Amino acid sequence: MKILCVCGLGQGTSLILKMNVETVLGQLGIAADVDNTDVSSASSEQPDFIITSKELAESLASHPSKIVIVNNYFDMEEIKQALEENLSS
């Protein structure tokens, strides 16, 4: 499974989200290839899931990957809940 964490510039915030997603996936016992990038680059990639904010999700609405919305990239419980809800479906 490939997961792409996306922020506006693809550097600081998406890297933090990537690290937090990897931590939560480890706790859940789920193996995945997690990467981070900016919203422009994300449109040309083909991950299984894109994790991003509601605002950026709107610009990726036509993307074929499943979009997972996380509003607070630092909130481990929100990330866990979003992953559990979306990876099981």
Side-chain angles (χ1 to χ4, degrees), residues 36-64:
N36 64 295
T37 192
D38 63 279
V39 70
S40 298
S41 299
S43 59
S44 65
E45 298 205 28
Q46 298 296 319
D48 299 300
F49 297 91
I50 293 176
I51 304 177
T52 191
S53 66
K54 182 179 181 194
E55 296 77 22
L56 295 177
E58 292 171 6
S59 64
L60 294 165
S62 63
H63 199 284

Side-chain angles (χ1 to χ4, degrees), residues 3 15-17 25-26 30-31 33 35 37 40 42-43 45-46 48 51 55 58 64 69 73-74 80 84:
I3 298 174
L15 180 59
I16 290 167
L17 179 60
L25 289 172
I30 299 171
D33 177 22
D35 205 358
T37 192
S40 298
S43 59
E45 298 205 28
Q46 298 296 319
D48 299 300
I51 304 177
E55 296 77 22
E58 292 171 6
I69 295 174
Y73 291 5
F74 297 92
K80 181 179 180 184
E84 287 176 329

